[in-house]
Amino acid sequence: MGVGKSTVGRRLAARLALPFVDADSEIEAAAGMTIADIFERFGEEYFRDGERRVIARLIDGQTKVIATGGGAFINPETRALILDQAVAVWLDANPLILAERVKRRDTRPLLRGRDPAKVLTALAEARNPFYALAPIHVSSQQAPHETTVAAIIKALGLMPPGDPKSAESD
């Protein structure tokens, strides 16, 4: 939450000339309501089940960049699907940096009426062992999104030697 999955994902897809899909947007379109409304009306378990089904539909064998919500990789079925049929990238950031980023908008169901720094620190403690199962780990810094994109491309082994963008992530 707040690490820049959607923004970085869009830019990564553009750099790689691939389609981009935001799983949260697809979930909202399929449900005909916002994620916040799904959480409020049906609860997190219902949302996670729908999220799993949407991600399974998105991983269709066509190469693309998919941004998933922060809780998707925690679900054992979703995680197994992603690890088996896709390349998982863990975008990591300090919870205090994330709290600063997300406090501007009240659209995060897990943060409503709560201290973002405390919630995000607790989520990191609970979720990071699962995220660490992703084969690629990239740290999201207080830097332009393009720096994170370049780091992902380099980690994927897709950046040719001598590429001027490679200096951004060294």
Side-chain angles (χ1 to χ4, degrees):
M1 196 179 319
V3 78
K5 296 176 297 291
S6 297
T7 303
V8 169
R10 272 188 202 81
R11 291 176 186 212
L12 176 64
R15 281 276 302 275
L16 298 177
L18 293 170
F20 171 77
V21 182
D22 185 304
D24 285 352
S25 296
E26 293 292 315
I27 292 163
E28 289 180 337
M33 63 179 69
T34 68
I35 289 172
D37 288 341
I38 297 168
F39 263 75
E40 188 176 312
R41 287 184 71 187
F42 303 107
E44 184 173 3
E45 187 175 330
Y46 178 90
F47 169 77
R48 295 296 173 204
D49 182 57
E51 177 180 58
R52 178 190 49 75
R53 287 183 279 120
V54 166
I55 291 171
R57 177 176 50 83
L58 296 175
I59 299 177
D60 59 4
Q62 293 185 319
T63 303
K64 63 179 73 81
V65 175
I66 303 171
T68 66
F73 205 68
I74 306 309
N75 178 293
E77 291 177 60
T78 305
R79 182 174 58 253
L81 174 71
I82 292 169
L83 291 173
D84 182 53
Q85 297 184 31
V87 177
V89 176
W90 173 21
L91 290 182
D92 186 21
N94 182 300
L96 298 178
I97 291 171
L98 297 176
E100 185 63 31
R101 291 178 184 172
V102 301
K103 74 178 186 182
R104 297 179 204 118
R105 289 185 286 156
D106 185 30
T107 59
R108 318 276 183 165
L110 295 177
L111 297 180
R112 288 235 169 108
R114 301 166 74 193
D115 178 343
K118 287 181 181 176
V119 172
L120 292 168
T121 298
L123 283 174
E125 289 173 5
R127 292 178 173 183
N128 285 359
F130 296 103
Y131 295 161
L133 298 171
I136 297 177
H137 176 194
V138 173
S139 183
S140 174
Q141 304 294 325
Q142 289 286 65
H145 291 300
E146 191 57 38
T147 302
T148 304
V149 170
I152 294 168
I153 291 171
K154 184 176 181 180
L156 290 168
L158 299 175
M159 188 169 292
D163 185 314
K165 296 280 187 190
S166 67
E168 293 177 14
S169 61
D170 290 339

